[in-house]
Amino acid sequence: MKLACDDHGDGPVVVLLHGFPLDRSMWAAQLADLADSYRVLVPDLAGFGESAAPAAGVLSIDGMADDVVELLDAKGIAGPVVVGGLSMGGYIALSLAVRHPGRLRGLLLINTRAAADSPEGAAQRLANAGALEAGGPTAPIIDGMKPKLFGASSLQTRPELVPPIEAMMRRVPAATMAGALRGMAARADRTGELPGIAVPTLVIAGTEDRIIPIAEAASFSRRLPYGEFEPIDGAGHLTPIEAPDRVNARIRRFLASLD
Ligand code: MLT
């Protein structure tokens, strides 16, 4: 699967994978900041943004991880890179870490989790996917997610952040949303594999994340042999957008420690 991708800067490669149902433009602040020292690759995952959707209906997490490896191969990047992801992007980054460990020299897990869905959570996703496949609109899914994406502090102090994210979600085709919902519902529980991840890993979480509780992120970070945990005060599920300066500075510190 050929992915649309921003590719800016020179230096060690850093790949950033967006969340659901977003696209690569969510990383604008990181691209602008990091590309003076790193080669930053920011793809649209299959079916999102400007990337074509695959023929198969399900967008599996492992398949999307394989797409990232294919992207690296297509660019002739054989050596190990840093891969980071937000939420669904984090599930994909973890799949890459477990299934393609030789491609990684560092991992960034941002507002994400290692565990699979609960049975109820998976059932809800499958019901939502079925409704979309039956021709239903994406609006109910977007309306359900919107109040949970930003932290209460950001909603109060920076409400202007919301409309661009809502517009980004509205651009995602229903078939992509359904495929990714099915993919996330079927994803593996990676918790037991965390102790085997042999690269430095930075886990970033927002103290006001309403989708993935910060305690869960803190807890899975402790299972990583080379894990570091960074809470971002006053930010919700979208820390790279809500607190770009603090997130970028922390990522830079992590990347510098790898050099
Ligand atoms: C995301 O931000 O990617 C989603 O919240 C992931 C999910 O629904 O599990």
Side-chain angles (χ1 to χ4, degrees):
M1 170 60 51
K2 191 174 177 332
L3 302 180
C5 182
D6 290 322
D7 179 350
H8 294 182
D10 286 314
V13 174
V14 180
V15 185
L16 297 174
L17 307 175
H18 63 78
F20 170 91
L22 304 175
D23 63 44
R24 73 191 200 266
S25 64
M26 68 148 283
W27 296 112
Q30 287 65 47
L31 195 57
D33 185 83
L34 299 174
D36 67 354
S37 321
Y38 298 94
R39 180 174 176 190
V40 187
L41 300 189
V42 182
D44 279 328
L45 297 162
F48 294 86
E50 295 175 320
S51 289
V58 177
L59 291 168
S60 79
I61 295 298
D62 290 349
M64 291 196 275
D66 294 346
D67 289 345
V68 175
V69 172
E70 201 179 311
L71 173 75
L72 293 172
D73 288 344
K75 288 184 177 286
I77 300 169
V81 302
V82 175
V83 175
L86 177 120
S87 201
M88 180 182 78
Y91 310 155
I92 298 166
L94 260 181
S95 164
L96 221 144
V98 169
R99 296 170 52 255
H100 303 279
R103 304 307 288 255
L104 276 195
R105 67 185 194 100
L107 189 59
L108 288 164
L109 299 175
I110 304 176
N111 296 89
T112 193
R113 55 166 46 110
D117 282 353
S118 65
E120 304 74 37
Q124 183 60 57
R125 287 206 213 262
L126 297 180
N128 288 343
L132 290 169
E133 286 154 357
T138 59
I141 291 167
I142 294 168
D143 293 344
M145 282 195 81
K146 210 174 72 173
K148 299 190 224 153
L149 284 173
F150 289 94
S153 304
S154 301
L155 287 176
Q156 202 173 13
T157 58
R158 300 184 63 202
E160 71 279 6
L161 292 177
V162 178
I165 293 297
E166 188 174 352
M168 208 184 291
M169 295 197 285
R170 294 203 187 283
R171 289 195 293 269
V172 178
T176 296
M177 240 186 231
L181 286 166
R182 290 195 183 281
M184 288 192 286
R187 75 184 189 280
D189 184 339
R190 299 284 181 204
T191 312
E193 288 158 301
L194 296 173
I197 294 182
V199 293
T201 302
L202 173 60
V203 178
I204 292 178
T207 57
E208 297 180 5
D209 191 330
R210 289 182 248 206
I211 293 180
I212 299 179
I214 189 160
E216 182 176 345
S219 157
F220 89 71
S221 75
R222 287 192 287 271
R223 300 177 70 101
L224 290 157
Y226 307 100
E228 300 167 40
F229 180 67
E230 186 71 28
I232 305 291
D233 277 337
H237 190 61
L238 300 179
T239 55
I241 294 166
E242 296 176 64
D245 294 348
R246 279 179 289 157
V247 168
N248 293 350
R250 188 61 183 89
I251 290 175
R252 270 186 182 278
R253 189 144 61 85
F254 174 72
L255 294 174
S257 74
L258 304 178
D259 293 340

